[in-house]
PDB file of all heavy atoms in Angstrom:
ATOM      1  N   LEU A 638      19.984  -0.075 216.709  1.00  0.00           N
ATOM      2  CA  LEU A 638      19.584   1.306 217.030  1.00  0.00           C
ATOM      3  C   LEU A 638      19.538   2.085 215.722  1.00  0.00           C
ATOM      4  O   LEU A 638      20.391   1.897 214.848  1.00  0.00           O
ATOM      5  CB  LEU A 638      20.572   1.952 218.003  1.00  0.00           C
ATOM      6  CG  LEU A 638      20.750   1.261 219.361  1.00  0.00           C
ATOM      7  CD1 LEU A 638      21.805   1.979 220.192  1.00  0.00           C
ATOM      8  CD2 LEU A 638      19.436   1.200 220.126  1.00  0.00           C
ATOM      9  N   ARG A 639      18.533   2.984 215.593  1.00  0.00           N
ATOM     10  CA  ARG A 639      18.329   3.721 214.341  1.00  0.00           C
ATOM     11  C   ARG A 639      18.260   5.215 214.606  1.00  0.00           C
ATOM     12  O   ARG A 639      17.792   5.655 215.653  1.00  0.00           O
ATOM     13  CB  ARG A 639      16.992   3.317 213.682  1.00  0.00           C
ATOM     14  CG  ARG A 639      16.890   1.910 213.220  1.00  0.00           C
ATOM     15  CD  ARG A 639      15.446   1.561 212.873  1.00  0.00           C
ATOM     16  NE  ARG A 639      14.588   1.533 214.050  1.00  0.00           N
ATOM     17  CZ  ARG A 639      13.504   2.276 214.233  1.00  0.00           C
ATOM     18  NH1 ARG A 639      13.120   3.123 213.288  1.00  0.00           N
ATOM     19  NH2 ARG A 639      12.787   2.174 215.325  1.00  0.00           N
ATOM     20  N   LYS A 640      18.737   5.984 213.628  1.00  0.00           N
ATOM     21  CA  LYS A 640      18.499   7.424 213.592  1.00  0.00           C
ATOM     22  C   LYS A 640      17.357   7.682 212.622  1.00  0.00           C
ATOM     23  O   LYS A 640      17.309   7.092 211.545  1.00  0.00           O
ATOM     24  CB  LYS A 640      19.752   8.192 213.149  1.00  0.00           C
ATOM     25  CG  LYS A 640      20.755   8.435 214.255  1.00  0.00           C
ATOM     26  CD  LYS A 640      21.831   9.399 213.815  1.00  0.00           C
ATOM     27  CE  LYS A 640      22.820   9.682 214.938  1.00  0.00           C
ATOM     28  NZ  LYS A 640      22.173  10.351 216.073  1.00  0.00           N
ATOM     29  N   LEU A 641      16.450   8.588 213.004  1.00  0.00           N
ATOM     30  CA  LEU A 641      15.289   8.892 212.185  1.00  0.00           C
ATOM     31  C   LEU A 641      15.342  10.322 211.687  1.00  0.00           C
ATOM     32  O   LEU A 641      15.844  11.209 212.382  1.00  0.00           O
ATOM     33  CB  LEU A 641      13.996   8.686 212.989  1.00  0.00           C
ATOM     34  CG  LEU A 641      13.818   7.324 213.676  1.00  0.00           C
ATOM     35  CD1 LEU A 641      12.482   7.276 214.396  1.00  0.00           C
ATOM     36  CD2 LEU A 641      13.912   6.199 212.669  1.00  0.00           C
ATOM     37  N   ALA A 642      14.820  10.533 210.498  1.00  0.00           N
ATOM     38  CA  ALA A 642      14.693  11.887 209.940  1.00  0.00           C
ATOM     39  C   ALA A 642      13.323  12.423 210.340  1.00  0.00           C
ATOM     40  O   ALA A 642      12.352  12.330 209.585  1.00  0.00           O
ATOM     41  CB  ALA A 642      14.859  11.856 208.423  1.00  0.00           C
ATOM     42  N   TRP A 643      13.243  12.997 211.540  1.00  0.00           N
ATOM     43  CA  TRP A 643      11.948  13.430 212.058  1.00  0.00           C
ATOM     44  C   TRP A 643      11.354  14.564 211.231  1.00  0.00           C
ATOM     45  O   TRP A 643      10.129  14.709 211.144  1.00  0.00           O
ATOM     46  CB  TRP A 643      12.096  13.875 213.513  1.00  0.00           C
ATOM     47  CG  TRP A 643      12.388  12.752 214.467  1.00  0.00           C
ATOM     48  CD1 TRP A 643      13.557  12.503 215.103  1.00  0.00           C
ATOM     49  CD2 TRP A 643      11.491  11.711 214.884  1.00  0.00           C
ATOM     50  NE1 TRP A 643      13.466  11.386 215.884  1.00  0.00           N
ATOM     51  CE2 TRP A 643      12.195  10.875 215.779  1.00  0.00           C
ATOM     52  CE3 TRP A 643      10.169  11.402 214.582  1.00  0.00           C
ATOM     53  CZ2 TRP A 643      11.620   9.759 216.373  1.00  0.00           C
ATOM     54  CZ3 TRP A 643       9.590  10.287 215.176  1.00  0.00           C
ATOM     55  CH2 TRP A 643      10.312   9.489 216.064  1.00  0.00           C
ATOM     56  N   ASP A 644      12.209  15.422 210.634  1.00  0.00           N
ATOM     57  CA  ASP A 644      11.665  16.544 209.876  1.00  0.00           C
ATOM     58  C   ASP A 644      11.282  16.167 208.443  1.00  0.00           C
ATOM     59  O   ASP A 644      10.930  17.028 207.654  1.00  0.00           O
ATOM     60  CB  ASP A 644      12.670  17.707 209.844  1.00  0.00           C
ATOM     61  CG  ASP A 644      14.046  17.286 209.375  1.00  0.00           C
ATOM     62  OD1 ASP A 644      14.214  16.100 209.038  1.00  0.00           O
ATOM     63  OD2 ASP A 644      14.951  18.147 209.363  1.00  0.00           O
ATOM     64  N   SER A 645      11.324  14.868 208.102  1.00  0.00           N
ATOM     65  CA  SER A 645      10.907  14.441 206.768  1.00  0.00           C
ATOM     66  C   SER A 645       9.395  14.362 206.645  1.00  0.00           C
ATOM     67  O   SER A 645       8.877  14.193 205.541  1.00  0.00           O
ATOM     68  CB  SER A 645      11.513  13.069 206.444  1.00  0.00           C
ATOM     69  OG  SER A 645      10.951  12.066 207.276  1.00  0.00           O
ATOM     70  N   MET A 646       8.666  14.445 207.754  1.00  0.00           N
ATOM     71  CA  MET A 646       7.198  14.377 207.804  1.00  0.00           C
ATOM     72  C   MET A 646       6.673  12.995 207.431  1.00  0.00           C
ATOM     73  O   MET A 646       5.474  12.828 207.226  1.00  0.00           O
ATOM     74  CB  MET A 646       6.550  15.445 206.909  1.00  0.00           C
ATOM     75  CG  MET A 646       7.014  16.857 207.188  1.00  0.00           C
ATOM     76  SD  MET A 646       6.788  17.378 208.906  1.00  0.00           S
ATOM     77  CE  MET A 646       5.006  17.408 209.023  1.00  0.00           C
ATOM     78  N   ARG A 647       7.566  11.979 207.356  1.00  0.00           N
ATOM     79  CA  ARG A 647       7.089  10.615 207.143  1.00  0.00           C
ATOM     80  C   ARG A 647       6.681  10.003 208.475  1.00  0.00           C
ATOM     81  O   ARG A 647       7.038  10.495 209.546  1.00  0.00           O
ATOM     82  CB  ARG A 647       8.182   9.761 206.487  1.00  0.00           C
ATOM     83  CG  ARG A 647       8.469  10.108 205.038  1.00  0.00           C
ATOM     84  CD  ARG A 647       9.418   9.088 204.422  1.00  0.00           C
ATOM     85  NE  ARG A 647      10.742   9.201 204.995  1.00  0.00           N
ATOM     86  CZ  ARG A 647      11.746   9.868 204.405  1.00  0.00           C
ATOM     87  NH1 ARG A 647      11.556  10.460 203.251  1.00  0.00           N
ATOM     88  NH2 ARG A 647      12.931   9.924 204.976  1.00  0.00           N
ATOM     89  N   VAL A 648       5.947   8.884 208.401  1.00  0.00           N
ATOM     90  CA  VAL A 648       5.568   8.158 209.618  1.00  0.00           C
ATOM     91  C   VAL A 648       6.808   7.475 210.171  1.00  0.00           C
ATOM     92  O   VAL A 648       7.494   6.729 209.452  1.00  0.00           O
ATOM     93  CB  VAL A 648       4.466   7.123 209.328  1.00  0.00           C
ATOM     94  CG1 VAL A 648       4.160   6.326 210.586  1.00  0.00           C
ATOM     95  CG2 VAL A 648       3.207   7.821 208.829  1.00  0.00           C
ATOM     96  N   ASN A 649       7.112   7.707 211.434  1.00  0.00           N
ATOM     97  CA  ASN A 649       8.257   7.089 212.092  1.00  0.00           C
ATOM     98  C   ASN A 649       7.795   6.430 213.386  1.00  0.00           C
ATOM     99  O   ASN A 649       6.821   6.873 214.006  1.00  0.00           O
ATOM    100  CB  ASN A 649       9.343   8.115 212.407  1.00  0.00           C
ATOM    101  CG  ASN A 649      10.092   8.572 211.174  1.00  0.00           C
ATOM    102  OD1 ASN A 649      10.646   7.753 210.451  1.00  0.00           O
ATOM    103  ND2 ASN A 649      10.110   9.875 210.920  1.00  0.00           N
ATOM    104  N   PHE A 650       8.507   5.395 213.784  1.00  0.00           N
ATOM    105  CA  PHE A 650       8.188   4.683 215.023  1.00  0.00           C
ATOM    106  C   PHE A 650       9.434   4.592 215.883  1.00  0.00           C
ATOM    107  O   PHE A 650      10.537   4.337 215.382  1.00  0.00           O
ATOM    108  CB  PHE A 650       7.673   3.269 214.728  1.00  0.00           C
ATOM    109  CG  PHE A 650       6.336   3.245 214.033  1.00  0.00           C
ATOM    110  CD1 PHE A 650       6.272   3.123 212.650  1.00  0.00           C
ATOM    111  CD2 PHE A 650       5.165   3.346 214.754  1.00  0.00           C
ATOM    112  CE1 PHE A 650       5.058   3.088 211.999  1.00  0.00           C
ATOM    113  CE2 PHE A 650       3.938   3.320 214.108  1.00  0.00           C
ATOM    114  CZ  PHE A 650       3.877   3.197 212.739  1.00  0.00           C
ATOM    115  N   PHE A 651       9.241   4.746 217.199  1.00  0.00           N
ATOM    116  CA  PHE A 651      10.349   4.579 218.129  1.00  0.00           C
ATOM    117  C   PHE A 651      10.856   3.138 218.135  1.00  0.00           C
ATOM    118  O   PHE A 651      12.046   2.889 218.208  1.00  0.00           O
ATOM    119  CB  PHE A 651       9.921   4.970 219.551  1.00  0.00           C
ATOM    120  CG  PHE A 651       9.928   6.445 219.808  1.00  0.00           C
ATOM    121  CD1 PHE A 651       8.784   7.080 220.244  1.00  0.00           C
ATOM    122  CD2 PHE A 651      11.073   7.190 219.634  1.00  0.00           C
ATOM    123  CE1 PHE A 651       8.783   8.442 220.495  1.00  0.00           C
ATOM    124  CE2 PHE A 651      11.094   8.549 219.882  1.00  0.00           C
ATOM    125  CZ  PHE A 651       9.942   9.179 220.306  1.00  0.00           C
ATOM    126  N   VAL A 652       9.939   2.180 218.081  1.00  0.00           N
ATOM    127  CA  VAL A 652      10.304   0.759 218.203  1.00  0.00           C
ATOM    128  C   VAL A 652       9.677  -0.017 217.048  1.00  0.00           C
ATOM    129  O   VAL A 652       8.479   0.113 216.779  1.00  0.00           O
ATOM    130  CB  VAL A 652       9.828   0.183 219.550  1.00  0.00           C
ATOM    131  CG1 VAL A 652      10.215  -1.296 219.652  1.00  0.00           C
ATOM    132  CG2 VAL A 652      10.418   0.964 220.717  1.00  0.00           C
ATOM    133  N   LEU A 653      10.493  -0.820 216.374  1.00  0.00           N
ATOM    134  CA  LEU A 653      10.034  -1.712 215.304  1.00  0.00           C
ATOM    135  C   LEU A 653      10.411  -3.146 215.651  1.00  0.00           C
ATOM    136  O   LEU A 653      11.464  -3.392 216.268  1.00  0.00           O
ATOM    137  CB  LEU A 653      10.674  -1.324 213.966  1.00  0.00           C
ATOM    138  CG  LEU A 653      10.222  -0.016 213.315  1.00  0.00           C
ATOM    139  CD1 LEU A 653      11.087   0.286 212.107  1.00  0.00           C
ATOM    140  CD2 LEU A 653       8.756  -0.083 212.932  1.00  0.00           C
ATOM    141  N   THR A 654       9.575  -4.086 215.239  1.00  0.00           N
ATOM    142  CA  THR A 654       9.868  -5.510 215.420  1.00  0.00           C
ATOM    143  C   THR A 654       9.753  -6.208 214.071  1.00  0.00           C
ATOM    144  O   THR A 654       9.142  -5.683 213.135  1.00  0.00           O
ATOM    145  CB  THR A 654       8.874  -6.160 216.401  1.00  0.00           C
ATOM    146  OG1 THR A 654       7.587  -6.261 215.781  1.00  0.00           O
ATOM    147  CG2 THR A 654       8.751  -5.356 217.690  1.00  0.00           C
ATOM    148  N   PRO A 655      10.321  -7.393 213.950  1.00  0.00           N
ATOM    149  CA  PRO A 655      10.108  -8.150 212.701  1.00  0.00           C
ATOM    150  C   PRO A 655       8.678  -8.681 212.659  1.00  0.00           C
ATOM    151  O   PRO A 655       7.985  -8.728 213.678  1.00  0.00           O
ATOM    152  CB  PRO A 655      11.144  -9.281 212.803  1.00  0.00           C
ATOM    153  CG  PRO A 655      11.460  -9.406 214.247  1.00  0.00           C
ATOM    154  CD  PRO A 655      11.250  -8.059 214.862  1.00  0.00           C
ATOM    155  N   PRO A 656       8.199  -9.063 211.479  1.00  0.00           N
ATOM    156  CA  PRO A 656       6.837  -9.612 211.382  1.00  0.00           C
ATOM    157  C   PRO A 656       6.685 -10.855 212.264  1.00  0.00           C
ATOM    158  O   PRO A 656       7.628 -11.607 212.497  1.00  0.00           O
ATOM    159  CB  PRO A 656       6.700  -9.960 209.896  1.00  0.00           C
ATOM    160  CG  PRO A 656       7.707  -9.080 209.207  1.00  0.00           C
ATOM    161  CD  PRO A 656       8.850  -8.960 210.168  1.00  0.00           C
ATOM    162  N   GLY A 657       5.444 -11.044 212.751  1.00  0.00           N
ATOM    163  CA  GLY A 657       5.134 -12.243 213.517  1.00  0.00           C
ATOM    164  C   GLY A 657       5.406 -12.143 214.997  1.00  0.00           C
ATOM    165  O   GLY A 657       5.296 -13.144 215.711  1.00  0.00           O
ATOM    166  N   VAL A 658       5.756 -10.956 215.503  1.00  0.00           N
ATOM    167  CA  VAL A 658       6.070 -10.814 216.928  1.00  0.00           C
ATOM    168  C   VAL A 658       4.897 -10.198 217.694  1.00  0.00           C
ATOM    169  O   VAL A 658       4.481 -10.700 218.733  1.00  0.00           O
ATOM    170  CB  VAL A 658       7.345  -9.959 217.125  1.00  0.00           C
ATOM    171  CG1 VAL A 658       7.628  -9.762 218.617  1.00  0.00           C
ATOM    172  CG2 VAL A 658       8.531 -10.618 216.461  1.00  0.00           C
ATOM    173  N   ILE A 659       4.343  -9.100 217.178  1.00  0.00           N
ATOM    174  CA  ILE A 659       3.236  -8.431 217.875  1.00  0.00           C
ATOM    175  C   ILE A 659       1.989  -8.363 217.001  1.00  0.00           C
ATOM    176  O   ILE A 659       1.059  -7.615 217.297  1.00  0.00           O
ATOM    177  CB  ILE A 659       3.647  -7.001 218.307  1.00  0.00           C
ATOM    178  CG1 ILE A 659       4.083  -6.179 217.088  1.00  0.00           C
ATOM    179  CG2 ILE A 659       4.744  -7.035 219.347  1.00  0.00           C
ATOM    180  CD1 ILE A 659       4.377  -4.718 217.412  1.00  0.00           C
ATOM    181  N   GLU A 660       1.972  -9.140 215.939  1.00  0.00           N
ATOM    182  CA  GLU A 660       0.829  -9.087 215.018  1.00  0.00           C
ATOM    183  C   GLU A 660      -0.451  -9.626 215.647  1.00  0.00           C
ATOM    184  O   GLU A 660      -1.549  -9.370 215.139  1.00  0.00           O
ATOM    185  CB  GLU A 660       1.144  -9.859 213.735  1.00  0.00           C
ATOM    186  CG  GLU A 660       2.195  -9.177 212.876  1.00  0.00           C
ATOM    187  CD  GLU A 660       2.397  -9.886 211.547  1.00  0.00           C
ATOM    188  OE1 GLU A 660       1.395 -10.315 210.963  1.00  0.00           O
ATOM    189  OE2 GLU A 660       3.551 -10.010 211.108  1.00  0.00           O
ATOM    190  N   ASP A 661      -0.329 -10.377 216.756  1.00  0.00           N
ATOM    191  CA  ASP A 661      -1.529 -10.900 217.402  1.00  0.00           C
ATOM    192  C   ASP A 661      -2.206  -9.865 218.283  1.00  0.00           C
ATOM    193  O   ASP A 661      -3.290 -10.118 218.812  1.00  0.00           O
ATOM    194  CB  ASP A 661      -1.177 -12.133 218.233  1.00  0.00           C
ATOM    195  CG  ASP A 661      -0.101 -11.836 219.277  1.00  0.00           C
ATOM    196  OD1 ASP A 661       0.616 -10.813 219.116  1.00  0.00           O
ATOM    197  OD2 ASP A 661       0.027 -12.601 220.241  1.00  0.00           O
ATOM    198  N   ALA A 662      -1.597  -8.681 218.436  1.00  0.00           N
ATOM    199  CA  ALA A 662      -2.175  -7.634 219.278  1.00  0.00           C
ATOM    200  C   ALA A 662      -3.125  -6.765 218.462  1.00  0.00           C
ATOM    201  O   ALA A 662      -2.966  -6.643 217.238  1.00  0.00           O
ATOM    202  CB  ALA A 662      -1.062  -6.769 219.872  1.00  0.00           C
ATOM    203  N   PRO A 663      -4.120  -6.146 219.121  1.00  0.00           N
ATOM    204  CA  PRO A 663      -5.015  -5.229 218.398  1.00  0.00           C
ATOM    205  C   PRO A 663      -4.210  -4.088 217.785  1.00  0.00           C
ATOM    206  O   PRO A 663      -3.377  -3.469 218.441  1.00  0.00           O
ATOM    207  CB  PRO A 663      -5.960  -4.722 219.499  1.00  0.00           C
ATOM    208  CG  PRO A 663      -5.865  -5.733 220.585  1.00  0.00           C
ATOM    209  CD  PRO A 663      -4.475  -6.275 220.539  1.00  0.00           C
TER     210      PRO A 663
END
Side-chain angles (χ1 to χ4, degrees):
L638 300 177
R639 295 168 292 122
K640 278 190 178 296
L641 307 181
W643 291 109
D644 52 2
S645 68
M646 306 304 293
R647 289 188 291 262
V648 176
N649 287 304
F650 293 96
F651 280 123
V652 180
L653 290 173
T654 71
V658 177
I659 58 174
E660 291 185 40
D661 57 341

